[in-house]
Amino acid sequence: MDITTEKKLAAGLSITSNAVIIILKFIAGIISGSISIISEAIHSMSDFLASVLTFFAVMKSSEPADKEHPFGHGKYEDMSGFIEGGLIIFAALYIIYEACKKLFMRETFEVDTTLGIAVMLFAVAANFFVSSVLFKVAKKSNSISLFADGEHLRTDIYSSLGVMAGLILIKITGIHILDPVIAILVALFILKAGFSISKETLNNLLDGSLPPEDMKSIEEIINSYKNKCILGIKNLKARRCGPSTDIELTILFPKDMTIEKCHNICDEIENLITQKLGHVTIMTHAEPECEKCGKLN
């Protein structure tokens, strides 16, 4: 099975799983009267919309480069991930709003916890399985949107566990006011995840540099060739573009080295960088050392 098909199947599995979980959580929340369960249903709704976005982003980003998009369609995945982060943030704020309304209203309320506990347990098991599939395929394909979708489901696991623990505590103690308090705590956790995803994908959309550890790895690979007559590097630039990484660099060689030898060394460096970072597109320029450019790095 090719990697594009795996990505589509993983995204489709996420959509189906989220749809089932949303229905179950809303039913359980309405029947039990629990705002924490309804907050989880809203969270899962944002996951579902994100999964749909991911599915179409994966399909679009897998299309080859064309006249209108000569550098490919990888940015569709970054845009999808950014929107997903926004959906998580919106869902968290809405949960806080609804929980505060229930927390501060004067009338008393009770929560039927048994059904909610069963649904939360099912959601944890289903999301653990689906998120594991998403992370596995995301790692193989270097897909930021599948990774973001997996992060979505992982936060859903933790929040579902939190809600389930709270419902068990309510069942034991009979303190029903804990329900909206748990919903607010879950929302704060979701909010943090949303900001984290949005920050990473926005950096990619704005052509931000790779993480420092990746840039350091590139420099270490190049510098390991200094004993093979490389004099230095300059103009090293790298960015993420959906599932791919674009790298541009200039390597300084002695001015009397043959073009063939320079080319062979550049090929070796490009292969090592690809092995280290995965799917990359590298544009390497070999430049002779001169008095004007001097030695760098």
Side-chain angles (χ1 to χ4, degrees):
M1 184 185 298
D2 65 90
I3 193 63
T4 299
T5 302
E6 280 193 60
K7 288 169 68 177
K8 292 178 181 178
L9 288 175
L13 175 64
S14 180
I15 291 173
T16 304
S17 172
N18 276 318
V20 172
I21 290 173
I22 288 167
I23 294 171
L24 292 176
K25 285 182 178 179
F26 269 119
I27 291 173
I30 292 170
I31 292 176
S32 66
S34 169
I35 184 63
S36 61
I37 297 177
I38 292 176
S39 73
E40 270 299 287
I42 294 170
H43 181 206
S44 295
M45 179 68 78
S46 73
D47 287 345
F48 177 76
L49 294 175
S51 297
V52 173
L53 280 172
T54 298
F55 181 75
F56 287 106
V58 165
M59 292 183 66
K60 190 67 178 177
S61 66
S62 63
E63 294 179 5
D66 53 35
K67 186 176 181 180
E68 288 75 24
H69 302 87
F71 294 99
H73 299 80
K75 290 287 185 182
Y76 278 90
E77 291 207 24
D78 294 315
M79 178 61 74
S80 169
F82 181 69
I83 294 174
E84 288 176 30
L87 288 172
I88 294 179
I89 293 171
F90 174 78
L93 294 175
Y94 183 77
I95 292 167
I96 292 172
Y97 169 73
E98 289 294 332
C100 286
K101 282 202 316 183
K102 196 162 188 177
L103 187 62
F104 295 112
M105 68 181 184
R106 295 180 180 178
E107 58 198 71
T108 60
F109 62 91
E110 290 188 2
V111 177
D112 182 5
T113 58
T114 304
L115 178 61
I117 292 171
V119 170
M120 289 301 108
L121 186 60
F122 173 79
V124 168
N127 283 331
F128 178 81
F129 171 74
V130 176
S131 63
S132 298
V133 173
L134 289 172
F135 283 131
K136 181 180 178 181
V137 179
K139 185 176 181 180
K140 285 177 63 177
S141 63
N142 205 24
S143 170
I144 186 65
S145 60
L146 285 180
F147 179 80
D149 202 20
E151 285 287 352
H152 255 156
L153 297 185
R154 187 163 65 178
T155 60
D156 203 28
I157 291 172
Y158 296 142
S159 58
S160 293
L161 284 172
V163 170
M164 185 172 69
L167 291 172
I168 293 173
L169 188 62
I170 292 170
K171 191 177 185 67
I172 294 172
T173 64
I175 304 175
H176 295 274
I177 198 68
L178 289 173
D179 185 58
V181 173
I182 293 168
I184 291 173
L185 293 175
V186 169
L188 292 175
F189 178 79
I190 297 170
L191 197 63
K192 181 178 180 295
F195 278 116
S196 176
I197 292 172
S198 295
K199 180 181 178 182
E200 179 181 355
T201 52
L202 182 60
N203 179 71
N204 293 343
L205 286 171
L206 298 178
D207 288 336
S209 183
L210 295 182
E213 56 270 22
D214 288 341
M215 295 298 291
K216 184 178 179 181
S217 295
I218 296 171
E219 292 176 357
E220 286 176 349
I221 289 172
I222 298 171
N223 289 332
S224 69
Y225 275 75
K226 282 191 174 180
N227 293 331
K228 298 183 179 181
C229 296
I230 282 183
L231 301 177
I233 58 174
K234 70 175 185 178
N235 298 332
L236 172 59
K237 296 185 291 185
R239 64 171 186 171
R240 284 294 303 275
C241 184
S244 180
T245 299
D246 295 337
I247 300 173
E248 296 181 16
L249 64 102
T250 299
I251 301 177
L252 297 176
F253 291 95
K255 57 185 178 181
D256 57 349
M257 183 177 285
T258 64
I259 294 176
E260 181 181 9
K261 189 170 183 179
C262 291
H263 177 75
N264 290 337
I265 293 175
C266 287
D267 281 348
E268 290 179 20
I269 290 173
E270 290 176 4
N271 289 332
L272 288 173
I273 293 174
T274 300
Q275 292 173 17
K276 181 69 176 179
L277 300 184
H279 185 200
V280 297
T281 301
I282 308 176
M283 295 182 63
T284 307
H285 173 64
E287 185 173 295
E289 182 203 7
C290 60
E291 292 182 0
K292 290 183 179 180
C293 60
K295 295 182 180 179
L296 292 96
N297 296 334

